[in-house]
Amino acid sequence: MASTSGRVAVLALHWQVNVIKPEGFFGGMLSEPVARSGVVERAASFHRSAGVPVFFTRFTIPEGEGGLVRNTGFMRAVGEAQEAFRPDAPGSQLIPEMAEGAQTVDNQKLSGLAGTELADLLTGRGVDTLFVTGVATNLTVEQTARHGTDLGFTVHVVSDCVAAADEAVHTASLANLELTTAGSLTADEALERLRTETRSGA
């Protein structure tokens, strides 16, 4: 087995109003498929049950744009709408299902591990294995999972705790990640792995 539970953390990516809810900036694209998938409820349950630290990331844009670089269509679009992404804007807040007691890191990159000290924080705590949840599969989830792997973490995307605007894109992204990470696990598989490692003390 890859690691003991004390060396595992969950990265919970972009569970914020702008991404998940109809009134959010990306709501027209993502809110309906996210709601249809049931991913919010599954991910919230997984976060509660995992028994390991959970770190949420939010995409926000402070005054002065922080680390935002307008070098893609995505970054240009959010840059033009940056008032909706201010750290205190309604759309930047974590959705209620995820907000209680959350450890939250803000950044201006697609990867949740870019532009902050989060990777160093995790390494400093002895974390070497990451379970990733979030929206969208083909955007922040895939980018973060690949980045984390390149940084030396063992990364598992929790396949039923991520979603995308299009099911075919979601499936293709998970297929890509089978080659570029340690492989996807369902929430039940991840929880069973954690329980087994805790019992064995491996």
Side-chain angles (χ1 to χ4, degrees), residues 136-178:
T137 315
N138 59 310
L139 295 171
T140 188
V141 172
E142 186 166 353
Q143 190 94 340
T144 304
R146 289 172 179 266
H147 187 185
T149 300
D150 283 346
L151 291 174
F153 294 99
T154 299
V155 179
H156 298 284
V157 172
V158 186
S159 59
D160 53 355
C161 293
V162 298
D166 180 87
E167 185 63 26
V169 170
H170 166 79
T171 300
S173 184
L174 289 177
N176 288 338
L177 289 168
E178 286 299 313

Side-chain angles (χ1 to χ4, degrees), residues 96-108:
E97 296 91 336
M98 305 290 182
E100 185 175 353
Q103 302 179 80
T104 306
V105 176
D106 289 0
N107 73 351
Q108 293 82 54

Side-chain angles (χ1 to χ4, degrees), residues 61-68 82 86:
I61 305 177
E63 296 284 350
E65 300 193 0
L68 183 73
Q82 62 185 272
R86 293 285 186 253

Side-chain angles (χ1 to χ4, degrees), residues 54-129:
V54 181
F55 294 88
F56 289 82
T57 69
R58 301 190 307 166
F59 187 90
T60 64
I61 305 177
E63 296 284 350
E65 300 193 0
L68 183 73
V69 179
R70 301 191 191 204
N71 57 353
T72 68
F74 179 91
M75 292 303 177
R76 286 191 293 273
V78 295
E80 291 301 314
Q82 62 185 272
E83 294 293 334
F85 290 90
R86 293 285 186 253
D88 58 353
S92 293
Q93 306 315 304
L94 295 179
I95 59 174
E97 296 91 336
M98 305 290 182
E100 185 175 353
Q103 302 179 80
T104 306
V105 176
D106 289 0
N107 73 351
Q108 293 82 54
K109 307 295 184 184
L110 198 55
S111 168
L113 293 168
T116 72
E117 296 180 354
L118 179 55
D120 289 340
L121 172 64
L122 294 167
T123 301
R125 293 188 177 194
V127 171
D128 61 13
T129 300

